[in-house]
Amino acid sequence: MEEDLISKKELLDLTGISYGQLYRWKRKQLIPEEWFIRKSTFTGQETFFPREKMLARLEKIKHLKDDVSLDELAGLFSPNPVDVRLTGEELVTRGIASAMTVDFFRQQRGGGDAFTFDQLLYLYVLEQLFRSGEITRDEGAMLLRTLLEHYPRFDGANCTLISVRKLGVATSCLVTAPADIYFEPDTRIIARVDLGACREELKLKLC
Amino acid sequence: MEASGKENNITINGSGSITGGKYGDVRINGSGEINGDVECASLTINGSGAVKGALKAGQAAFNGSGTVQGPLQADTVQVHGAASLKGDVTTREIDISGAVSVHGNVSTEQAKCAGAFSVSGDFNAEKFEARGGFKIDGLLNAGEIDICLHGDCRAREIGGSSISVRLDTREHWGVGNLFRGLLPNHHHHLVTDSIEGDEISLENTQARVVRGKRVTIGPGCDIALVEYTERYQQDEGAQVTEQRQV
């Protein structure tokens, strides 16, 4: 599947940002290098971007840049975890997860009072899924095992958590994003979570 | 080799080598080698020096000839002699008055270049000032670009907020610029594929396309296409095949 691309010219028209801003945001690494796609056109080499991702990113930068410095924004979009430890109580007040999800996590994991960034991410993902009502507690436990076991292997690269169910039996996996993935007809996808996006949302909550 | 001993400062006079690690001020006055990655308050190379690894320093000064095999990270980098940097260069300020070749990307806040340099990747700066020749194989991306043409200047692409490329005519009246006077004006030029910015003013520039908000094309330019949004000016001595407001 070819990704829908947008030319630089159309992008600037649509968003109203200037060349100066675009190049500045590129320098500050607010826009990943791999989104700058050079292609030959009849007028020569031109730059294109993945349409959806780029428009969403610019919208976010425009929305946040007055409140947050560009360096902080760069930290927000970078895959690096924030050095943070929150107690269960703090993360409930910050709206990252409910007390119920925190208890659930503790039952599954045991463990201490404070949570690291990656653990916060797992909690945040579980909270979203429990809230949506798409998954049961048993499935939540399975998802959590998948995250704990495999998420660190991606080492910051974007990945998607996918959970499927067939004839009442659920399973889950982590795949590198973006990926096309197809299942047999009777399979139902019960959850598909973009962990890169969750990471950004979580960082915003930690700001 | 003589180690001056205090606070891990070290000076190599004559010829010698040290192993990598953490140091205070490191000076190489004769010919010296640092084997491995080094982290130091400052590195000064007055003779010939080689870092066979990564260099992390407060200040790095190359007065003779220096080589760094790995990435270079420093608050300030000064090159008055020659430097060959084999990895990415990340710094707050870089000042080049000798000759530098970088086999990677350069990222800095301020760049002042009066010598000659080549970069095999991108050159990123908030402020980029050049008075010498250069060759950038990737993108020159800077908030403010001020190029005073001197010899052959090349970049694959140029992007930024304000971009100014000019022949410094004042220099013809100066005493200190005999070399400049020996070359006819058209030998001082900038060649690039595309230039994109908000405020663009060019002289003696060859480009396929120039895109900007306010664009001024001065004498000696040869541009295939200019696209502008607000204002356009063109000198009689400029060649522009097509220009259009978009």
Side-chain angles (χ1 to χ4, degrees):
Chain A
M1 188 180 76
E2 184 139 329
E3 212 172 1
D4 189 13
L5 298 178
I6 184 169
S7 73
K8 195 189 280 175
K9 209 189 289 179
E10 193 190 343
L11 181 81
L12 297 196
D13 274 353
L14 224 70
T15 56
I17 66 166
S18 68
Y19 282 113
Q21 280 173 310
L22 182 69
Y23 280 104
R24 186 169 158 74
W25 296 346
K26 179 173 197 279
R27 282 199 305 280
K28 292 285 177 187
Q29 294 171 346
L30 300 184
I31 304 161
E33 192 64 44
E34 64 268 22
W35 291 7
F36 288 75
I37 301 162
R38 292 167 61 79
K39 285 186 89 161
S40 282
T41 66
F42 66 95
T43 53
Q45 290 262 326
E46 299 294 347
T47 303
F48 291 82
F49 304 93
R51 179 183 288 267
E52 300 283 310
K53 278 194 251 177
M54 190 65 180
L55 287 173
R57 176 63 55 97
L58 293 190
E59 211 37 62
K60 253 184 226 169
I61 299 173
K62 282 202 294 186
H63 182 66
L64 293 169
K65 73 178 163 64
D66 298 328
D67 305 318
V68 190
S69 77
L70 290 188
D71 288 331
E72 283 174 311
L73 269 179
L76 180 67
F77 297 133
S78 99
N80 301 331
V82 180
D83 189 16
V84 66
R85 292 187 92 83
L86 288 190
T87 64
E89 223 165 75
E90 283 171 319
L91 72 96
V92 171
T93 47
R94 284 184 189 238
I96 293 164
S98 64
M100 197 203 84
T101 307
V102 176
D103 285 343
F104 172 80
F105 187 91
R106 286 213 170 105
Q107 281 165 22
Q108 298 295 321
R109 268 294 277 169
D113 271 349
F115 296 93
T116 63
F117 183 80
D118 280 357
Q119 290 173 332
L120 292 178
L121 181 65
Y122 307 154
L123 278 159
Y124 183 69
V125 170
L126 281 177
E127 176 72 20
Q128 308 291 313
L129 292 171
F130 282 144
R131 239 170 230 282
S132 71
E134 301 282 350
I135 63 165
T136 64
R137 283 176 73 88
D138 285 348
E139 286 163 352
M142 171 201 65
L143 282 171
L144 182 58
R145 279 199 301 277
T146 309
L147 285 169
L148 285 165
E149 172 89 15
H150 302 298
Y151 179 74
R153 290 172 200 240
F154 285 86
D155 199 18
N158 272 348
C159 55
T160 308
L161 174 69
I162 294 172
S163 182
V164 296
R165 200 186 287 140
K166 188 191 174 190
L167 304 173
V169 181
T171 185
S172 62
C173 62
L174 275 174
V175 293
T176 314
D180 296 330
I181 184 163
Y182 304 99
F183 297 97
E184 53 172 312
D186 296 335
T187 314
R188 199 168 92 81
I189 297 179
I190 49 179
R192 187 176 190 132
V193 185
D194 177 348
L195 293 175
C198 285
R199 205 156 50 200
E200 279 174 28
E201 288 164 19
L202 179 59
K203 282 184 182 177
L204 266 182
K205 286 187 186 287
L206 294 172
C207 275
Chain B
M1 187 183 116
E2 167 200 309
S4 55
K6 280 178 292 182
E7 288 172 354
N8 229 0
N9 293 342
I10 199 157
T11 303
I12 298 175
N13 288 314
S15 123
S17 69
I18 57 174
T19 53
K22 285 196 178 179
Y23 294 96
D25 297 320
V26 180
R27 296 179 77 84
I28 297 175
N29 291 324
S31 130
E33 266 182 22
I34 303 177
N35 293 311
D37 297 348
V38 63
E39 203 179 320
C40 57
S42 73
L43 171 69
T44 311
I45 296 174
N46 291 319
S48 115
V51 178
K52 309 234 154 141
L55 168 62
K56 198 171 172 186
Q59 279 113 43
F62 301 87
N63 297 320
S65 99
T67 321
V68 179
Q69 292 293 345
L72 162 56
Q73 202 184 328
D75 184 52
T76 61
V77 178
Q78 284 192 343
V79 185
H80 298 302
S84 167
L85 311 172
K86 312 279 187 198
D88 290 345
V89 176
T90 313
T91 172
R92 191 177 51 81
E93 229 178 280
I94 185 164
D95 193 340
I96 298 169
S97 58
V100 178
S101 73
V102 180
H103 302 262
N105 302 307
V106 179
S107 294
T108 180
E109 278 171 37
Q110 283 219 31
K112 272 193 186 175
C113 317
F117 71 89
S118 68
V119 175
S120 70
D122 295 346
F123 198 119
N124 293 303
E126 290 312 307
K127 196 167 178 199
F128 176 88
E129 254 178 75
R131 299 279 174 280
F134 58 83
K135 180 169 170 284
I136 298 169
D137 293 343
L139 164 71
L140 166 59
N141 177 351
E144 202 181 310
I145 296 174
D146 183 11
I147 297 169
C148 194
L149 292 168
H150 205 306
D152 193 37
C153 303
R154 286 168 192 268
R156 194 190 68 199
E157 302 169 80
I158 299 177
S161 301
S162 107
I163 299 167
S164 155
V165 180
R166 63 203 153 87
L167 276 169
D168 196 344
T169 44
R170 281 171 313 170
E171 283 191 54
H172 290 294
W173 308 106
V175 226
N177 224 314
L178 287 170
F179 165 72
R180 225 206 121 74
L182 292 174
L183 281 175
N185 264 347
H186 65 267
H187 281 266
H188 304 292
H189 62 187
L190 169 70
V191 181
T192 182
D193 180 68
S194 65
I195 300 178
E196 295 177 333
D198 299 339
E199 302 277 343
I200 301 174
S201 160
L202 306 174
E203 289 179 1
N204 275 31
T205 299
Q206 286 172 38
R208 178 178 59 86
V209 55
V210 174
R211 299 192 178 98
K213 222 182 258 176
R214 287 177 285 274
V215 180
T216 306
I217 306 291
C221 287
D222 185 355
I223 317 278
L225 171 66
V226 176
E227 290 181 342
Y228 63 99
T229 50
E230 282 177 19
R231 201 188 63 218
Y232 178 64
Q233 268 180 307
Q234 186 186 328
D235 186 87
E236 286 173 356
Q239 250 194 15
V240 175
T241 316
E242 188 189 353
Q243 79 271 349
R244 56 177 181 233
Q245 188 162 18
V246 291

